[in-house]
Amino acid sequence: MANIQTFAGFRPRADLVEKVASRPYDVLNSEEARKEAEGNPHSFLHVVKPEIDLPVEMDHYAPIVYETGRDNFQRLVADSIFVKDANSMLYVYRLIMDGHVQTGFMVEQSIDDYFDGQIKLHELTRPDKEEDRKTHVRISGIHAEPVFFAYPSKADLDNILEKVVNEYDPVYDFTAEDGIQHLLWAVDEPALAAQVQEGFADIPTYVADGHHRTAAAALVGKDLRAANPDHTGKESYNWLMAVIFPDNQLQIIDYNRVVKDLNGRSNNDFLTLIEQRFEVKNVGKTQHKPEELHNFGMYLDGEWYSLTARDGTYNDLDPISVLDVTILSEQILDPLLGIQDLRRDKRIDFVGGIRGLGELERRVDSGEMTLAFALYPVSMKQLIDIADSGEIMPPKTTWFEPKLRSGLVVHEL
């Protein structure tokens, strides 16, 4: 089962943590990251989105981009913005968003758990994004951002979280500009850390958010093992950095799709084909956010439609077929739009529900995209059932909120 341990991480000075901490690399595009980090040399975006410090036209996958990220982190260490803890610490991380509270352990987990299946996956990775994160880890020499895991809620582990929160003072407590409060505890108690390690020994962990970073950490660690003739198994590259939350504290929101074209069809022809598979209702300019499974919002040519999947287009008894992302792929994306590989096809993009339906409208109205779909979110139970069965969800099925803040703790390889 899960092999975890505490570690000594690099952390920003408490008086600068609000300037350092940033949103994760994959929730901002480069233009947004440039604006967010403007005038703030301490922002961790200089490490995880280093293209913001290079010319706009620069290839984001050029070696100099990753080297810039490495150099930026080394500068933050040299300037004592980041300082490494002297001892292995039990880190506990709490996020509070609109009254929702989730608290988890920030620990190392063995990369062997990834290869042995003790880290349960529910999505395949996109090769280009996986290679991007591998290169970032390899060149920077750090796991810059923790991956976001879940564990089946367990009383002894949950009680340790409450003990830390109630009996120790946090080293960080701040509210970011988006209104989300972040608290971090760093506890130097080996006996308590041993209890956590024991508590995870009989349960697996589940990737909630960060399949690409999980794969990158494991695969780079495996490469470093092979390249090290003096490998002992104790090296830091044998571990990845994760924040692991009880599953009953997590919330998943919608993860929506935008499509570049109608695969050569006119709007009318496309709608005619849709009506063979869905009950279609035109709701005009009113945004349609699905409120139940098997209902979709569709935005086309300035108007919203409610689509309800017809009987026979899905199987509620099958953990994959029941998913709305599967229904969308099998009934529209593949047969009507010719989008068969969500991991590689450049005609489709994915938009987290935190951006709202207005972002779908913006992407279509700008002419960048032609069509958008709003989906009903999957549940944690669905995620765990699929991961336990060894099945894989279609890419970009889950969007967790709140997101972890990057730059609170950094794991050195």
Side-chain angles (χ1 to χ4, degrees), residues 124-128 339-348 350 395:
L124 296 174
T125 55
R126 298 179 69 167
D128 56 339
I339 298 173
Q340 299 177 340
D341 188 345
L342 300 185
R343 299 167 66 210
R344 294 179 172 85
D345 200 307
K346 302 300 183 183
R347 294 171 56 227
I348 188 168
F350 308 89

Side-chain angles (χ1 to χ4, degrees), residues 24-35 45 49 51-52 60 355 359 362-363:
Y25 87 100
D26 55 350
V27 302
L28 295 167
N29 62 36
S30 296
E31 180 182 355
E32 292 168 332
R34 284 178 191 272
K35 291 179 181 177
L45 289 172
K49 299 283 286 185
E51 70 270 16
I52 66 176
H60 293 176
R355 292 178 177 264
E359 176 67 7
R362 186 191 70 79
R363 297 282 296 271

Side-chain angles (χ1 to χ4, degrees), residues 299-318:
Y299 186 65
L300 173 67
D301 197 22
E303 295 191 318
W304 281 92
Y305 298 81
S306 168
L307 311 182
T308 301
R310 297 186 184 278
D311 291 343
T313 60
Y314 56 88
N315 177 6
D316 277 337
L317 300 179
D318 182 272

